Amino acid sequence: MHILIAPNAFKNSLTAQESADAIREGLIRSGLNCSTECFPIADGGDGTGRLIVEKCQGLWHEYNVHDPLGRIIRAPVGIIDQGKTAVIEMADASGIRILREDERNPLKASSFGTGELIRYALDRGVKSIVIGLGGSATVDGGIGILSALGVQFLDVNGKHINALSENLKYLNSVDLSEIDQRIFDCRITVLCDVDNLLLGSNGAAAVFGPQKGARPEDVPVLDAALAKLSDCVFKLNGKRMNEIVHGGAAGGVAASLNALLDAELLNGAEHFLKLTGFSASLKNADLLITGEGSLDEQTLQGKGPFAVAKYAKEKGIPVIGFAGKVPLIDQPEMNKYFNVLLAIGNQPEDLASAMKFTASNLIRTAKAAGSLISLLK
């Protein structure tokens, strides 16, 4: 038996690679007569870019950029495809993991550093840029990125406003006259791990603002700021930012890059698997094991485990899913893609405690699964 191990990261606990290693260790301990391949996956979330560069045997180059609060940090640009393509992780320059919990405030956090990374990629002469949006600290509609590329945001008097969400209430127009023209000679691909629209109750501010430190009273302010940006972009080029699927990703970055730079917004998981040659590894598999922190109906909205399970089921390969949390009630839609769902916890405990033992729980659950398979062979 050949088992392909392709988990996503277990958020805030294990990377995708660490998760895959733990599952393989459990299978080894079970004594199951099998071969394995670890193929850690990502879906546009934090860590996607790193896995792409590693799988494509690319190189990293580090640069000085500004973090979400304007401090100088080092952040990387990955180069693949013989120097033709740059890979950028928004989380590396503008990520929530950069900030202490008491520093998180999307009204004052900027995506400017990610724009600086894009500029550095252009300096290297790339013809394509892939951007992973997961893990951002911002709800600025991408104005920080655009500002780094030369876009001007002007008030009613034609004066430049600082590119922060809290200043968007003063926005009257968007000026592209000084934009770095090289960006239009470069294909921009944005990997999204959510499909939310920009505005409203399911939009960037309402859904993701609180996760990034927004207080309840900040959410309507952020939504109004993004609405003002959307109105100004519509006046500029007639594009409706709130109608763009995936537009709410990374606090509206996806919508602005699509509307102003003609960036292509893609499901992160599907594009990741295509870039990294997942299908070739799946050809040899008799069983697929995947997983992430929670496997439920939201998984079917384009998350990484769903993408690999769909590929496997199309080829008649059975799928086992490991997760910290699985549905209590049978889910017919989940059953179409996952033969078995296994919760890795072994006793009642709070989330923080459970996350400390993710690795050991994965090893134990994989060992049990391997032992069971051995009995049935």
Side-chain angles (χ1 to χ4, degrees), residues 141-189:
I143 60 173
I145 291 174
L146 295 166
S147 177
L149 294 173
V151 179
Q152 302 292 307
F153 299 92
L154 309 174
D155 65 14
V156 69
N157 297 313
K159 293 184 178 180
H160 169 76
I161 65 172
N162 194 17
L164 292 173
S165 296
E166 64 180 357
N167 296 329
L168 279 173
K169 60 188 176 184
Y170 304 115
L171 183 65
N172 183 65
S173 62
V174 178
D175 180 4
L176 301 184
S177 62
E178 296 184 26
I179 193 171
D180 190 331
Q181 292 296 318
R182 296 176 299 173
I183 198 70
F184 297 115
D185 296 323
C186 190
R187 179 183 179 186
I188 310 296
T189 302

Side-chain angles (χ1 to χ4, degrees), residues 268-330:
E270 291 285 347
H271 196 66
F272 172 85
L273 297 179
K274 180 180 178 181
L275 269 179
T276 55
F278 179 76
S279 293
S281 290
L282 189 63
K283 283 181 181 179
N284 301 318
D286 300 299
L287 172 69
L288 172 72
I289 297 179
T290 186
E292 63 179 352
S294 179
L295 291 175
D296 52 32
E297 286 190 322
Q298 289 189 2
T299 303
L300 304 182
Q301 304 304 311
K303 295 292 187 179
F306 167 67
V308 294
K310 184 174 67 172
Y311 273 77
K313 298 304 284 187
E314 287 172 355
K315 297 185 178 300
I317 298 169
V319 179
I320 297 176
F322 292 165
K325 179 183 176 184
V326 300
L328 288 173
I329 301 171
D330 191 51

